[in-house]
Amino acid sequence: MFDWLQHIADYIVFDAFGMNASSHLAEALNFFIYDSIKILILLFVIIFFMGIVNSYFPIDKVQNYLSRKKLYGLEYLMASLFGTVTPFCSCSSVPLFIGFVSGGIPLGVTFAFLITSPLVNEVAVGLFVGLFGVKTTVIYVVSGVLLGAISGMILQTFKLEKYLSPWVKEILANAQKEQDVFVADKQSFSNRLPVIWYEALKIIKGILPYLLIGIAVGGLMHGYVPEGFFEQYMSKDNWLAVPISTLLAVPMYSNASGILPVVQVLVAKGIPLGTAIAFMMGVVGLSLPEAMLLKKVMTWKLIAIFFGTVTVCIIISGYLFNIIF
């Protein structure tokens, strides 16, 4: 989808700036340019689209429907399954997460999406089949979907909405006021667009500093942290290898497709499959850049609860994979 953008980033770094393609700085800068533009595009398109949807489906109605209908947890499973068809990394998933929250979707349901989206996608599944076979792939996909759904259900029970940042609460309040005006005045679609456009730009302006800082951190990690640096801590003889691998993966920012070849190398070197997959899940599902982006949306306490819950679920998945395989 974004191959054209990669060409632009390559041209800027390697042709316009004349940087050496093998240098760490060039790799970090290339990553920063590509991811910044990509996420900004995603952010604007998603928020603008959600603004249109929200103008016709008021937040309070969405909330009332989801609170009154007994879906018996299917809403978490549906959000998790939706995450499997969105080929986003953890940072790219944040814009859609913001759109869900502003659309009145319960926080636990949005968390289910946010967790699964970077872990499982069609590209990663295709690579997984080629590298590890169909049986392992099926177990990985099922565990990834269940990880998102169960984590979302757990987080929803904590009633964490109060830990959303004041900025998000203001966005929600403004969105509800705009919807009331739209409904009361029966405004046409063309009259609603300027207001929706303005609010989308306002949201992007508010999150932009956090976006750039987060991607800059990811670029530095991507360019300067060697991929084989953590292998010494992932030995099969170390019964703490799974939690250690999960925690050490946090600085290694990548998407599932990018980290899968590394996982194959780790397994080939004798690292247990569950430990290697826990490392991969930590890389794509828990990252410092994602935390920086989420800081605009959540308080540090909510980020800690979210990351803690996901970490525990990843560790459990890693141990289960090691037992099965």
Side-chain angles (χ1 to χ4, degrees):
M1 184 190 304
F2 292 101
D3 285 347
W4 60 273
L5 189 52
Q6 185 63 67
H7 294 318
I8 293 175
D10 291 343
Y11 173 79
I12 293 173
V13 175
F14 305 130
D15 295 331
F17 291 170
M19 300 181 71
N20 189 335
S22 61
S23 73
H24 294 303
L25 180 60
E27 187 177 353
L29 183 60
N30 185 286
F31 180 90
F32 176 79
I33 294 172
Y34 170 78
D35 246 39
S36 296
I37 300 174
K38 180 187 74 172
I39 295 177
L40 278 173
I41 292 173
L42 286 170
L43 184 65
F44 182 80
V45 170
I46 291 168
I47 291 176
F48 185 74
F49 175 76
M50 291 302 295
I52 294 174
V53 172
N54 293 343
S55 70
Y56 288 96
F57 298 94
I59 290 174
D60 57 343
K61 290 186 178 180
V62 175
Q63 292 172 328
N64 289 338
Y65 175 83
L66 290 173
S67 62
R68 291 175 182 175
K69 296 291 183 179
K70 296 296 183 181
L71 299 179
Y72 302 102
L74 285 178
E75 64 270 37
Y76 301 98
L77 183 60
M78 291 169 60
S80 191
L81 288 171
F82 179 62
T84 66
V85 296
T86 51
F88 302 148
C89 62
S90 58
C91 286
S92 303
S93 304
V94 174
L96 195 53
F97 172 83
I98 295 172
F100 283 174
V101 173
S102 63
I105 306 299
L107 198 55
V109 178
T110 60
F111 275 135
F113 163 80
L114 185 63
I115 294 165
T116 306
S117 179
L119 292 180
V120 184
N121 60 66
E122 62 273 19
V123 177
V125 169
L127 289 173
F128 220 99
V129 171
L131 295 176
F132 301 109
V134 175
K135 178 183 175 182
T136 306
T137 303
V138 170
I139 295 175
Y140 170 71
V141 171
V142 171
S143 64
V145 171
L146 291 178
L147 174 65
I150 293 172
S151 297
M153 293 177 68
I154 293 172
L155 290 166
Q156 184 63 37
T157 62
F158 294 155
K159 305 295 182 183
L160 300 171
E161 285 78 6
K162 60 185 176 182
Y163 296 119
L164 290 170
S165 70
W167 179 77
V168 172
K169 294 176 182 178
E170 181 183 351
I171 293 293
L172 289 172
N174 290 339
Q176 187 62 61
K177 290 177 183 177
E178 289 163 10
Q179 290 163 1
D180 293 340
V181 172
F182 290 151
V183 173
D185 297 344
K186 297 182 179 179
Q187 292 187 11
S188 65
F189 178 71
S190 60
N191 289 334
R192 299 183 187 199
L193 281 181
V195 178
I196 297 170
W197 178 277
Y198 171 78
E199 284 302 315
L201 292 177
K202 184 178 177 181
I203 292 173
I204 291 175
K205 183 179 178 181
I207 202 173
L208 185 60
Y210 296 86
L211 173 72
L212 296 179
I213 292 172
I215 297 173
V217 173
L220 291 173
M221 296 298 181
H222 187 80
Y224 286 94
V225 177
E227 292 178 346
F229 181 75
F230 300 125
E231 291 177 15
Q232 57 184 312
Y233 303 104
M234 302 169 70
S235 169
K236 61 181 179 181
D237 298 325
N238 184 1
W239 67 280
L240 288 175
V242 172
I244 290 174
S245 300
T246 304
L247 295 175
L248 291 178
V250 174
M252 298 284 291
Y253 175 59
S254 179
N255 56 32
S257 304
I259 199 65
L260 265 173
V262 179
V263 173
Q264 184 189 28
V265 172
L266 292 175
V267 173
K269 290 184 177 181
I271 303 299
L273 182 60
T275 304
I277 288 178
F279 177 75
M280 186 192 81
M281 287 183 169
V283 169
V284 301
L286 303 167
S287 69
L288 293 178
E290 181 186 16
M292 292 302 302
L293 279 173
L294 290 175
K295 180 61 185 73
K296 185 63 179 177
V297 185
M298 310 175 187
T299 62
W300 282 118
K301 185 170 184 178
L302 180 52
I303 293 174
I305 294 172
F306 168 61
F307 270 51
T309 303
V310 176
T311 299
V312 170
C313 289
I314 289 175
I315 291 172
I316 293 173
S317 297
Y319 279 121
L320 288 176
F321 261 92
N322 282 343
I323 292 172
I324 294 172
F325 296 95

